[in-house]
Amino acid sequence: MAKLGDWIDPKPHGIYVKPADAWIDPSVPSPRALVTHGHADHARGGHAAVWATPETLAIMDTRYGPQAGHPVDYGQILDMGGVEVSFVPAGHVLGSAQIVLKYRGETIVVSGDYKRRPDPTCARFVPVKCDIFVTEATFGLPVFRHPDTHDEMDKLLAALRANPDRCVLVGAYALGKAQRVIRELRDMGFDDPIYIHGALQRLCDLYVELGVDLGELRLATGVPKAELQGRLVISPPSALNDRWSRRLPDPITAMASGWMRVRQRARQKLVELPLILSDHADWDELTDTLLEIAPKEVWVTHGREEALIHWCMTRQIKARALALVGYEDEDD
């Protein structure tokens, strides 16, 4: 009797779908790649052919140059070597997808990175019943329970209003997090110009091109200090404490990340205003998703897999760690 899921083969550098002769999120250049989303630890350049959502392909084009891309819309069904392949929303960043594989009467969902709460910049996660659910576990510990998004944005706006002579400098990952912070604030009625680091411009422009309205954005580089007083500035996390940030008017240093739940991380990064805002599922979202989907097996790609595997075992769900390499926690 065939073993459940024996037609996919997890390797350290990606998941190989044998009958389709294709790799999911391979970390090395591959002949045929199925890509869940545009973050660099999942979407690498150099593949001979790439299947992904149109938005993910546009992100890859922006980052790596033109791709040999095959756009796949959400819900579109492909036949690859007898495997029925479809992409459904993952709720992680713009264009992010879970890859649903159906073969020999079995359904396997490779979720990539995902979150369950609403995000105004991308389609919301769609749960798919399956036999095997391949999940991340970036925040796979019970201590990680992300607070309400609007409460964190209120903290940011309160700091801005209380310090008219300073600026608030928010470190946010260049793809997904920066645009989400901007769009969350716009939805809360914040219409002031937002200043951005030059490293964010290409992806912000792409989000606008793909239909995400970010309001008025201005480059912060070269702007007189006086103009930036009482203003919001967004940069990559790497720029929070470098020479670039010293040109700003006494910045209140903030960082938007799920890791800001860990006070030691905030202190290490010299963050004055930690904003707990994650594009990954927290502990409750991970476990609630497994209860909702009810898979026979759970395979964990990366993160804090031990606690999630233990949780599965206590509920008679077979679980294993895949030990894939190259996936990072990012600055979430």
Side-chain angles (χ1 to χ4, degrees):
M1 184 175 178
K3 183 180 177 183
L4 183 65
D6 66 354
W7 46 278
I8 72 170
D9 189 7
K11 301 285 191 182
H13 57 280
I15 295 174
Y16 182 55
V17 186
K18 291 185 280 189
D21 190 25
W23 293 85
I24 296 178
D25 289 353
S27 59
V28 296
S30 302
R32 292 156 62 87
L34 307 174
V35 176
T36 60
H37 67 282
H39 279 143
D41 56 336
H42 291 256
R44 311 294 177 106
H47 303 308
V50 180
W51 285 261
T53 65
E55 297 86 354
T56 294
L57 288 175
I59 289 165
M60 293 179 71
D61 286 349
T62 299
R63 289 189 143 180
Y64 306 125
Q67 302 294 300
H70 301 268
V72 184
D73 292 326
Y74 291 135
Q76 181 181 345
I77 296 175
L78 309 176
D79 185 314
M80 302 183 76
V83 181
E84 183 182 299
V85 180
S86 60
F87 288 58
V88 300
H92 180 54
V93 296
L94 182 63
S96 62
Q98 305 169 79
I99 298 176
V100 181
L101 310 167
K102 296 185 177 183
Y103 184 68
R104 286 192 330 212
E106 297 175 5
T107 300
I108 298 176
V109 174
V110 181
S111 62
D113 291 335
Y114 69 96
K115 67 175 177 292
R116 299 302 305 266
R117 62 190 62 200
D119 178 338
T121 68
C122 66
R124 194 163 184 179
F125 180 95
V126 173
V128 178
K129 296 280 187 180
C130 56
D131 299 292
I132 297 175
F133 187 63
V134 184
T135 182
E136 60 148 311
T138 300
F139 292 108
L141 290 172
V143 68
F144 290 114
R145 289 182 164 93
H146 304 324
D148 180 79
T149 300
H150 280 197
D151 290 347
E152 298 303 288
M153 294 297 97
D154 278 338
K155 284 165 47 178
L156 172 56
L157 293 174
L160 201 59
R161 288 191 296 266
N163 296 275
D165 297 328
R166 305 173 70 184
C167 72
V168 176
L169 173 61
V170 181
Y173 197 66
L175 170 59
K177 184 62 63 61
Q179 297 80 18
R180 182 183 172 198
V181 169
I182 294 167
R183 188 62 252 171
E184 294 280 6
L185 291 170
R186 298 307 191 200
D187 286 351
M188 293 173 68
F190 183 76
D191 294 326
D192 291 2
I194 294 175
Y195 292 77
I196 61 172
H197 189 286
L200 304 182
Q201 184 170 17
R202 281 193 311 159
L203 287 170
C204 285
D205 287 347
L206 179 62
Y207 263 61
V208 172
E209 182 183 325
L210 294 174
V212 180
D213 183 6
L214 299 178
E216 184 180 354
L217 303 180
R218 299 178 184 175
L219 282 176
T221 303
V223 174
K225 275 191 175 184
E227 183 180 329
L228 293 173
Q229 289 179 331
R231 297 295 192 178
L232 176 64
V233 182
I234 301 180
S235 77
S238 59
L240 283 181
N241 297 297
D242 70 3
R243 289 176 57 190
W244 180 87
S245 66
R246 294 177 206 149
R247 304 169 185 170
L248 304 176
D250 190 18
I252 299 169
T253 304
M255 186 165 170
S257 168
W259 295 112
M260 290 299 97
R261 171 69 73 188
V262 182
R263 292 180 181 178
Q264 183 61 24
R265 287 219 183 191
R267 286 195 292 266
Q268 287 172 348
K269 294 180 179 291
L270 305 178
V271 171
E272 185 176 346
L273 180 63
L275 301 171
I276 305 169
L277 184 71
S278 176
D279 284 330
H280 293 265
D282 67 8
W283 175 257
D284 289 334
E285 291 170 344
L286 289 169
T287 56
D288 288 349
T289 297
L290 296 181
L291 291 172
E292 181 177 8
I293 291 173
K296 296 174 184 174
E297 295 188 18
V298 173
W299 297 2
V300 185
T301 56
H302 64 291
R304 281 78 208 148
E305 62 265 325
E306 297 91 349
L308 191 60
I309 288 172
H310 176 74
W311 181 93
C312 289
M313 295 301 193
T314 62
R315 286 155 182 81
Q316 289 74 54
I317 304 171
K318 188 175 179 181
R320 59 181 284 208
L322 299 185
L324 301 184
V325 299
Y327 291 170
E328 302 169 1
D329 294 331
E330 308 152 1
D331 285 302
D332 180 52

